[in-house]
Amino acid sequence: MRQDLLVFVPQEGGNSPSVSYSMYACGVKKEKPVYSADGKSLVFKFDGNSVAVLFYYFSGFKRAYVVTGWNSGSGELKSVLPGVEGDLFVLFSATGRDFWSLEYVINYVTKYSEEMVFKLPLTFWFRLCALIQIRKGTKSNVLHLIHTTKEAMDFYGRENDTCTEVSA
């Protein structure tokens, strides 16, 4: 069983010195986001069995991570990231051109359904990250990957809660 993730997105304002980064997080939320007790961050609780994407914006560079909750029963490497409480497994990290490609793909696929793509299995995400790495993360390739993954899930009789169709 994978652990759920608590993500603390820093909020600007107040007299306290701000953290050295800003952050954007997307994935399958288990609860409505709330402010932390000190009011310095917005707390998101993401489903550990689904994928989350974390975009970090530092003063000199940008970095993105595709993560899921860590499974203690498997041979996965446990990782930690700033602003995330809970152990996680990093599927992919991106900087530079890969960062922009991942951001473009996530913006495109979440335009139609905010959480649908994050419920797809890890095999989809490994393939999507490979497409981004080899510079083939185009709209048509991503849509083809989504549809073939959904068809395979239907063919093998798995529960498919990704019923929302994404159109080109």
Side-chain angles (χ1 to χ4, degrees), residues 92-129:
F92 180 66
S93 65
T95 58
R97 188 177 198 168
D98 291 346
F99 175 91
W100 293 110
S101 295
L102 180 62
E103 186 176 50
Y104 171 78
V105 166
I106 295 299
N107 285 334
Y108 178 71
V109 297
T110 58
K111 182 174 20 173
Y112 302 103
S113 175
E114 189 174 322
E115 293 183 346
M116 180 271 303
V117 73
F118 300 107
K119 295 178 182 178
L120 291 173
L122 291 181
T123 55
F124 164 81
W125 284 94
F126 284 120
R127 290 178 180 150
L128 178 66
C129 295

Side-chain angles (χ1 to χ4, degrees), residues 17-35:
S18 63
V19 294
S20 62
Y21 65 91
S22 61
M23 181 182 191
Y24 177 75
C26 49
V28 178
K29 296 172 203 75
K30 290 193 85 167
E31 299 172 359
K32 183 179 176 183
V34 295
Y35 281 98

